[in-house]
Amino acid sequence: MADFKEKRAAKAAEKQKAQAAAERNGSQPHHGAASRSPAPDNPANAGEKAKSRFIKTRQQGKQTIKITARNAEKTVKSTAQGAVKTKEAARAAAQGTVKSKDAARAAAKGTVKTAEKGIKTAQTTSKAAIKTTEQTAKAAKAAAKTSVKTAQKAAQATKATAKATAYAVKVAVKATLAAIKAIIAGTKALIAAIMAGGWIAVAVILIICLIGLLVGSVFGIFFSGEDSGNGMTMQTVVREINADYDSRLDEIIGGTSHDVLEMSGSRAVWKEVLAVYSVKTTTDPDNPQEVATMDDNKKQLLKDIFWEMNEISFRTESKTETQITESDDGHGNIVETGTTVTQTYLYITVSHKTAGEMADKYGFNEEQRQQLSELLAEENNSLWSAVLYGITIGDGEIVTVALSQVGNAGGEPYWSWYGFDGRVEWCACFVSWCADQCGYIDSGVIPKFAGCVNGSQWFKDRGQWQDGSFTPEAGQIIFFDWEGDGETDHVGIVERCENGIVYTVEGNSGDACRQRSYPVGSSSIYGYGIPAY
């Protein structure tokens, strides 16, 4: 449209020029139909008319430019509106387009070419803005995806960190508990370090805070092996309860008339008794107490739980039997004689409840059961040994096993493990069973033996023997000579040796596993086997 108008304006201008020339030359051009023209004027009038016509032509040119500018403006508006509809983010580009419109108006005042360049520039700018917006949107989308992935990775990392932290806390707890004795024994040194200041003091304070938290929890039981100032420790209380248990057995045996004693059953493992005591005492809704220290009140609580978990029952039965005796008839012949005898049998049965059964009895909730499980985890066995028996060294492992069996009666699990079908004198079977639990038989540290003579000879043959005057250590094997005939007839395990007294754990002592004690160098002690732990 614009080109047509320009051509028409150009034609009109050429026609005017031709007419002006004709007037000057006195003739008129013919273009198709005849044109009417006024009579020729003088040269002066002709110049004025030509000038007037030229001005009119210029005005028409300007009008054409204005029309072109308006069309350009419409194009710009259409382009800007399309950009806005295409992407909302192109608003910024639309503003740039408006500026381009202003530039187009300014250019339109000059030349049509400048206006066209402005329009093209606006279109280019608009397209560039749209592309930029699309690229921005794509970049935003990619960034969003990256952010989601980063968030997911962060969440996974957080979970992993939480697990690692929980594990680290457990490790820290175990490490701290394992160092309890050193920490308590070095209290003065710790105070001095705190007074001195520095990072050591900070570390010590953190450890003390951690210990403070542990002491008030169920894990405080692992601190109870130390004397809190009243002369009581968990070890002394456990020994007292064990003595009470043995006294009850002795009362039954001594107070009941019988000819034959048969005992059976087993007692609750001490670590289970203490675990139940720890959870019940620290989480008591009416009177919660810490279990790191011991006093008369807590001792009574522990005794009550012990006897709720352990029960001793007994009964007697008379049996008439025929006993065969052999004698010499005086002529070198052996004569068997049958005699009918009525005997009274005393049957003692030891039974116990497990930690799980006690949790049911006391109505422990899920959290309490979880705490009970944590305390009884196998990884805490060394901590239990330290609390119960003061054992922290490797060769004390057999002592820990032996002490865990104290109270078991009848010997059935030991002699049946060895391979016997019926009851035998089982003291050596007990020692062998304890050694096997520690892997000492497989490793050749202690032999598997059912006879005391064979056991003592094994150690003598290897140069691992000491006589009865020797002062032993925990974990060594003690052999006895009750009859004083120079031959061993009983065996046990040395628990410890303190102040000239040898403390032992023995199987088949009154047909039960019991703790005993003897002066160093006692005439009843035959000698000691010294395992190469």
Side-chain angles (χ1 to χ4, degrees):
M1 184 69 178
D3 291 341
F4 173 75
K5 289 181 178 180
E6 287 175 10
K7 288 178 180 180
R8 188 173 64 178
K11 251 185 195 182
E14 288 176 2
K15 189 176 181 179
Q16 291 292 337
K17 285 180 182 180
Q19 287 176 353
E23 288 175 359
R24 285 195 300 271
N25 297 327
S27 63
Q28 291 181 351
H30 295 274
H31 297 285
S35 300
R36 291 182 297 178
S37 60
D41 295 329
N42 60 42
N45 290 336
E48 287 296 327
K49 287 181 180 179
K51 184 178 180 180
S52 176
R53 290 190 188 99
F54 181 73
I55 290 171
K56 190 180 289 185
T57 301
R58 285 182 62 191
Q59 288 174 347
Q60 288 175 348
K62 286 181 179 181
Q63 187 175 2
T64 301
I65 291 171
K66 286 181 181 180
I67 291 169
T68 302
R70 281 197 297 269
N71 291 335
E73 185 177 350
K74 287 180 181 179
T75 304
V76 170
K77 285 182 179 179
S78 176
T79 303
Q81 287 173 354
V84 171
K85 290 179 181 179
T86 305
K87 294 289 179 179
E88 188 176 339
R91 288 174 183 169
Q95 291 176 355
T97 305
V98 171
K99 290 180 180 179
S100 297
K101 287 195 295 181
D102 293 338
R105 287 193 187 101
K109 292 178 182 178
T111 62
V112 174
K113 288 183 180 180
T114 302
E116 288 175 346
K117 285 181 181 180
I119 293 167
K120 289 180 181 179
T121 300
Q123 290 174 339
T124 304
T125 302
S126 178
K127 288 178 182 179
I130 291 169
K131 286 182 179 180
T132 301
T133 303
E134 289 174 346
Q135 290 173 353
T136 302
K138 288 180 181 179
K141 188 175 181 181
K145 287 182 178 178
T146 303
S147 298
V148 170
K149 288 181 180 179
T150 303
Q152 290 173 342
K153 288 181 180 179
Q156 293 172 352
T158 302
K159 288 181 181 178
T161 302
K163 288 183 179 178
T165 302
Y167 175 76
V169 168
K170 288 185 178 180
V171 171
V173 168
K174 291 172 189 173
T176 303
L177 294 175
I180 290 170
K181 283 193 172 184
I183 292 171
I184 295 175
T187 300
K188 291 183 180 179
L190 295 180
I191 294 173
I194 293 173
M195 295 295 290
W199 69 267
I200 295 177
V202 174
V204 168
I205 291 170
L206 290 174
I207 292 173
I208 290 174
C209 291
L210 176 59
I211 292 173
L213 291 173
L214 290 173
V215 166
S217 71
V218 293
F219 290 100
I221 195 70
F222 294 127
F223 289 78
S224 61
E226 298 298 327
D227 186 352
S228 58
N230 58 6
M232 288 187 187
T233 66
M234 185 57 73
Q235 292 176 35
T236 61
V237 172
V238 167
R239 288 173 191 161
E240 182 178 328
I241 295 174
N242 282 340
D244 290 344
Y245 175 86
D246 288 343
S247 295
R248 291 203 184 186
L249 286 176
D250 291 338
E251 287 174 6
I252 293 170
I253 294 170
T256 306
S257 178
H258 65 280
D259 300 301
V260 180
L261 171 65
E262 289 191 9
M263 299 178 64
S264 62
S266 61
R267 202 180 67 180
V269 178
W270 259 113
K271 75 173 185 178
E272 291 198 16
V273 177
L274 293 188
V276 172
Y277 159 78
S278 180
V279 174
K280 187 176 187 299
T281 303
T282 57
T283 61
D284 188 331
D286 299 321
N287 182 29
Q289 301 180 71
E290 50 82 17
V291 292
T293 60
M294 182 58 67
D295 55 31
D296 290 331
N297 179 53
K298 293 174 188 173
K299 179 170 71 173
Q300 189 58 52
L301 289 174
L302 181 55
K303 282 186 175 183
D304 292 342
I305 292 173
F306 175 86
W307 287 113
E308 284 188 86
M309 292 184 70
N310 294 284
E311 182 182 354
I312 301 174
S313 61
F314 67 96
R315 66 183 178 86
T316 59
E317 181 181 341
S318 295
K319 292 184 179 180
T320 301
E321 302 170 328
T322 300
Q323 293 184 343
I324 303 298
T325 59
E326 295 180 349
S327 61
D328 187 345
D329 64 1
H331 301 288
N333 301 314
I334 301 298
V335 178
E336 291 183 351
T337 304
T339 306
T340 300
V341 179
T342 299
Q343 293 183 312
T344 301
Y345 282 74
L346 172 59
Y347 297 98
I348 298 178
T349 302
V350 178
S351 58
H352 71 272
K353 293 183 176 66
T354 65
E357 290 171 332
M358 293 304 293
D360 294 336
K361 178 180 175 64
Y362 291 141
F364 282 177
N365 58 32
E366 190 60 34
E367 183 178 356
Q368 289 172 312
R369 291 174 187 272
Q370 180 62 34
Q371 291 173 335
L372 191 64
S373 176
E374 289 287 341
L375 288 173
L376 294 174
E378 290 295 321
E379 59 216 39
N380 293 330
N381 283 345
S382 60
L383 298 177
W384 286 118
S385 296
V387 171
L388 285 165
Y389 318 123
I391 298 169
T392 56
I393 55 176
D395 57 4
E397 186 176 359
I398 192 171
V399 180
T400 302
V401 173
L403 286 167
S404 72
Q405 302 300 300
V406 170
N408 288 357
E412 192 278 333
Y414 316 114
W415 51 255
S416 63
W417 163 82
Y418 199 97
F420 293 104
D421 295 329
R423 187 192 184 283
V424 296
E425 298 303 324
W426 50 275
C427 59
C429 294
F430 169 73
V431 172
S432 297
W433 181 88
C434 291
D436 183 64
Q437 300 304 300
C438 303
Y440 294 151
I441 292 178
D442 288 340
S443 61
V445 175
I446 295 175
K448 181 178 181 180
F449 63 102
C452 297
V453 174
N454 291 337
S456 61
Q457 193 61 46
W458 188 93
F459 286 106
K460 290 177 181 179
D461 291 344
R462 286 160 179 75
Q464 298 171 223
W465 180 259
Q466 293 290 341
D467 63 28
S469 64
F470 178 71
T471 299
E473 297 179 0
Q476 294 176 345
I477 310 303
I478 183 171
F479 291 85
F480 297 90
D481 178 8
W482 296 126
E483 297 179 3
D485 59 1
E487 190 172 278
T488 179
D489 45 31
H490 184 61
V491 65
I493 298 170
V494 176
E495 177 188 346
R496 68 189 191 283
C497 184
E498 295 176 354
N499 303 319
I501 303 297
V502 181
Y503 296 90
T504 66
V505 184
E506 302 167 27
N508 199 28
S509 178
D511 205 30
C513 296
R514 297 196 183 193
Q515 291 172 277
R516 299 297 190 186
S517 62
Y518 311 86
V520 171
S522 168
S523 60
S524 298
I525 300 174
Y526 178 72
Y528 299 92
I530 314 298
Y533 291 117

